[in-house]
Amino acid sequence: MKTEHQICIHCGEDCGPAPIIWNDQPFCCNGCQTVYELLNEKKLTQYYSIQAAPGVKLENEHIQSEEKFAYLDLEEIKNKLLDFSDSGISKIRFFIPAIHCASCIWLLENLHTLHNGVIQSSVNFPKKEVSITFHEEKISLRQLVELLASIHYVPEISGQNLDKNPNRKASNSLLIKIGIAGFSFLNAMLYHFPQYLPGSENLESGFRLVFGWLSFVLSLPVLFYCANDYFLSAYKSLKKKIISIDLPIALGLITLFVQSSFELISDQGIGYFDSLTGLVFFLLVGKWYQSITYEALTFERTYKSYFPVAVTKITDNKNTTIPLDELKAGDRILVRNQELIPADATIAKGNASIDYSFVTGESIPVSKNTGDFVFAGGRQIGSAIELLIQKEVEQSYLTQLWNQDQKTDHESKSMSSVINKVSQYFTIVIISIALGAAIYWNFADPSKALFAFTSVLIIACPCALALTIPFTFGSTMRQFGRKGFYLKNSDVIERLYKIKTVVFDKTGTITHSQSTKVDFKGKKLNGEQLQLIKSVVFHSTHPLSKTINNAIKTDHQFEVVNFKEIPSLGITGMVNNQQVNIGSKYFVTGDQSETKELKTQVWISINNKTVGHYQFENNYREGLAETISQLKTRFELHLISGDNESERENLLPLFHDHAKLNFNQSPTDKLEYVRNLQKNGEDVLMIGDGLNDAGALSESKVGVVIADNIYNFTPACDAILKADKFASLQRFIQFSKTSMKIVWYSFLISFLYNLVGISFAVQGSLSPIIAAILMPLSSVTVVAFASFSVNLSSKNKLR
């Protein structure tokens, strides 16, 4: 019987021909119905009034068994995951990718209504994180996660969650330094303000001394704590016989402090402690501005962020859950449907169908039998299997592939090296000018000698040079991020500017990872046959079944009886008393002969009569031809793919060179290919999407990952480009050149500023007070110019 489809009231998905009805409402699955019932019982149906069908459908791979979260009962894992735990009250943060709208936020912040063990919960929407405080006596960590899973907000818990983030401590330290420097700067400005007004010489000496010593006290933590990184950097550079940008900054700070302290002690004035604290404050703000740019994205990930935190170990007595780091060679483990293989192993029991799509980019499962060797990183599809571990996690092929990320020294050079070179000459010249002015005035007018020396060093401090890079590149990173291009750090912009060669991966990079072209080969199928096929594939979770299901545009389906899914072979079922078999050529036709056909095929038979097969071709990303055409005029283009050569003829018109189209490339081959290009002097931009590209991405000058979901797992890379922004790749590369021009213009402004200031300072006619005012003013000028120029340029060039 034909049935009109309805939309699930909870998640908005198609309910299919046989929706589940509860309380006169349609649901696509039991999971959505259960969540609706729960919210209805707890009187939380406001969830649906905020946004229509806001819920998340729990896909098959997320369906949890009773023991799925048993590992959270282990004390060693629980203690590592919790942010805080004392007197029975604990706090934890979860990353939940399913958070997508205001209804999600409302429901997650009302968890206390669902369970009285939850004290409070709050959502950080940009980071898709929920922070929960709970009573451990009323609800355990495992029960809390099961509660979230029951309402379809499954937390993403991986091994990397167990490692504390060292960057958080560094970030907090920088904020503390900024706070101290800002506090000291504002107060010192108040104390020094009378000095800049007419008649300040009439101020009583006692007041001046009090203001001066208060400023002196405020400057001590700024100089010895807030600015300690500059002194350490300058010291380490001198040990290596290098004059870095931090040396003149450190010298300028010391000069300001010594001169100011001398004037204060000798009762000649109260010095320039306001300029000293202000200089440090602006420098630290520049660092902070750069560090916060899209900090929500995690680029530095290890294999632990992809692996589970625990596995099920099979023993003589019973199955036990153990932490991943306790897994040893020789252990026997259970891997269920859709679970990851955590280490290289052999199949001890059962037949496997391994999906290596993350490692190889290919979504077609590989059939494995008892005794076969399987690599870590594959995902089992089908019934549970037992594995005998051959290598520990750290020694597995996947881990070795992941760790192929050592960049050569020449690739780590950045714009800071240019600044260091400039600053070496700059520092030598400035010190020479200051000494020359001091020597000259020592003979001409000794009272002006120290005056001229100090004024030159103060006004010529290269802080504007130091601030140019953080603010220019920081603004560029922010503009890129708003357009869907997320950079790891500012060095990427300079390296992007220098690239000469662009190397593409194919699957998931220039093609859609979840979309393919489908053609049917055989006699044209009639409407009933299409409905029979769609009815069967609708029940399968296999990627090819989903593709066929989406390709058949029909609104009607039939009930399927005796549906079976046979791993690595196909699916079968009775529809309207007709036997439908869908799968490999051998499964459907019995033909075991080898074929030279390179394209993926799915064969169809109805009532044991073969009607034809579906043939799959890659679906290329929108704007590919235009992007390749634009890049071709400026760069040398290559393609390296782990796939076969089925798409060579389609790609040749774009690349115009057989030699630069490379197929059947293993991850090691890709790494060596990029390494050889780099050795030949080619600065390579590598664009990929999977772990099989990790080595090549890291070896390249710039490694960019194409991501359909930026919050999904990505290998170590320099940047993430949203998939729907692929056509803008050329504009991002071109804008890196614009940013570099702004940097050089900022340098020019800084030099001109110093040139004019020094011309007055060497005459001994420029008061150090005026020099101290002009010095931070030059920094503000350069920062304003850099930020304004980047923002203005981005409006025209990144539209």
Side-chain angles (χ1 to χ4, degrees), residues 645-663:
E645 300 189 13
S646 60
E647 293 293 319
R648 179 182 288 276
E649 296 306 316
N650 292 333
L651 293 169
L652 189 58
L654 296 177
F655 288 86
H656 295 298
D657 192 340
H658 273 289
K660 294 177 181 177
L661 297 178
N662 302 273
F663 299 93

Side-chain angles (χ1 to χ4, degrees), residues 114-131:
L114 296 177
H115 198 291
N116 61 6
V118 177
I119 301 173
Q120 184 267 344
S121 56
S122 60
V123 175
N124 184 328
F125 185 72
K127 293 186 177 182
K128 295 184 181 290
E129 285 184 350
V130 58
S131 179

Side-chain angles (χ1 to χ4, degrees), residues 454-478:
T454 306
S455 296
V456 169
L457 283 178
I458 291 174
I459 200 168
C461 182
C463 54
L465 289 176
L467 292 174
T468 295
I469 293 297
F471 278 88
T472 302
F473 285 176
S475 296
T476 300
M477 289 172 66
R478 187 170 293 277

Side-chain angles (χ1 to χ4, degrees), residues 767-792:
S767 166
I769 295 178
I770 302 301
I773 295 173
L774 294 177
M775 181 182 63
L777 185 60
S778 68
S779 301
V780 173
T781 302
V782 169
V783 166
F785 170 78
S787 301
F788 175 78
S789 299
V790 169
N791 292 338
L792 182 63

